[in-house]
Each structure stands twice: as structure tokens, then as C-alpha cells.
Amino acid sequence: MFVGSSDIAAALGVTRQAVDHRLRTDPRAPVPVAVVNRTATWGGTRVWRRTEIDRWLGGLAPDRWIANPGAARRAADNGGVAYRRDGGAER
């Protein structure tokens, strides 16, 4: 499974910018396996293997990985409840 800096940020509870900075400055950080969605005007999104990120972080509990990072953000903004697009609620 591949993860981007937003996925890592959601799992750690920090900003994407903080993750991006650490990935760029930590000499132990894994190298991205690919850059996706690259265009002529945008550098694209770097992605890593989740297993390599887990190893770099010293083992991240599987339940910390959120399938939909936006849900975590919405939950934080709504007192712990994330509303799905179909109107249901997630806790």
C-alpha cells in the first residue's frame, strides 16, 4: 500500500507540512517510491510504501492509519463525529 504525506499526517495527528518537512530533512526518512499526478506546472505528489514509513517511524499501530484522512479532519471539526457524503455519521 502506498501513502502520501497527507495520509502520514492524519495517522500522526500533525499537519501535512510538518510531515513534508521531516521527510525532506531527516536523513533516515525513506525515499519516495514514485511521484504521481505530475504536470508541467506542478511537481506532483510523492508516495511511499506504508511498510517503509512504519519502519521509519518505529512501528505505527495499524489502527492509527485512517482510510480517509478527510474523515479525521471533519471529525475534529465536528466534536468527534465525521459526516459521510451520504448523510451518515462516523465515530
Side-chain angles (χ1 to χ4, degrees), residues 16-70:
R16 182 192 52 77
Q17 292 84 355
V19 169
D20 186 61
H21 174 75
R22 186 157 176 207
L23 284 165
R24 291 180 187 275
T25 59
D26 186 343
R28 299 177 306 110
V31 176
V33 294
V35 177
V36 297
N37 300 328
R38 186 177 293 188
T39 68
T41 58
W42 184 57
T45 300
R46 297 173 301 147
V47 294
W48 295 262
R49 285 187 181 88
R50 187 174 126 180
T51 55
E52 293 176 3
I53 294 296
D54 285 339
R55 192 174 311 116
W56 173 56
L57 295 173
L60 190 59
D63 63 338
R64 292 289 304 267
W65 289 104
I66 300 168
N68 179 358

